[in-house]
Amino acid sequence: QLQFVESGGGLVQPGGSLRLSCAASGFTLDYYAIGWFRQAPGKEHEGVSCIESSDGTTYYADSVKGRFTISRDNANNTMYLQMNSLKPEDTAVYYCEAGGNYCSNSGRVIRTHFWGQGTQVTVSS
């Protein structure tokens, strides 16, 4: 059974932090490039961050550089997005993704095969 289950979203004040998690089962994350993308109301999908499987090269959208960190825990087959210094414009549904071996320089997996159900992140005072 293939599963890719997200957790960790919620409501946070500006300047606060959240950590999103995606736990995979039925496939091995270490084989793939992994990433996070988001969709704000009225907007198209936007790449946030990605790690290539070949050499571990990371990519971040300009809007999140210095604030967000992507990571993976191969022992637990889980990926994470640590989000610090959150801003209202970070409000969106966030999705994890995996596939292929490579990332675009805008923070998306180039050939997505798996993605999570999405988790809402709301940044508001």
Side-chain angles (χ1 to χ4, degrees):
Q1 184 178 7
L2 299 177
Q3 291 189 317
F4 208 6
V5 180
E6 295 187 45
S7 62
L11 175 65
V12 64
Q13 293 184 343
S17 297
L18 287 172
R19 189 180 76 161
L20 307 184
S21 301
C22 264
S25 59
F27 65 100
T28 300
L29 286 179
D30 193 40
Y31 295 164
Y32 301 101
I34 58 169
W36 295 87
F37 65 96
R38 65 188 181 185
Q39 186 174 34
K43 301 290 185 66
E44 295 184 348
H45 293 173
E46 176 190 21
V48 174
S49 187
C50 187
I51 302 178
E52 294 187 334
S53 61
S54 56
D55 61 2
T57 300
T58 58
Y59 298 85
Y60 292 93
D62 288 343
S63 59
V64 308
K65 286 179 180 176
R67 300 188 297 120
F68 291 9
T69 304
I70 188 172
S71 62
R72 71 203 312 165
D73 183 344
N74 291 331
N76 292 312
N77 208 26
T78 302
M79 56 184 288
Y80 304 95
L81 184 68
Q82 179 66 45
M83 305 186 295
N84 298 326
S85 301
L86 283 161
K87 304 174 181 179
E89 50 264 46
D90 295 317
T91 296
V93 178
Y94 285 71
Y95 301 86
C96 53
E97 60 177 347
N101 301 111
Y102 304 105
C103 306
S104 74
N105 59 15
S106 61
R108 288 296 307 269
V109 172
I110 288 179
R111 188 175 178 86
T112 299
H113 290 167
F114 311 102
W115 59 92
Q117 81 279 8
T119 185
Q120 177 71 48
V121 172
T122 302
V123 185
S124 177
S125 60

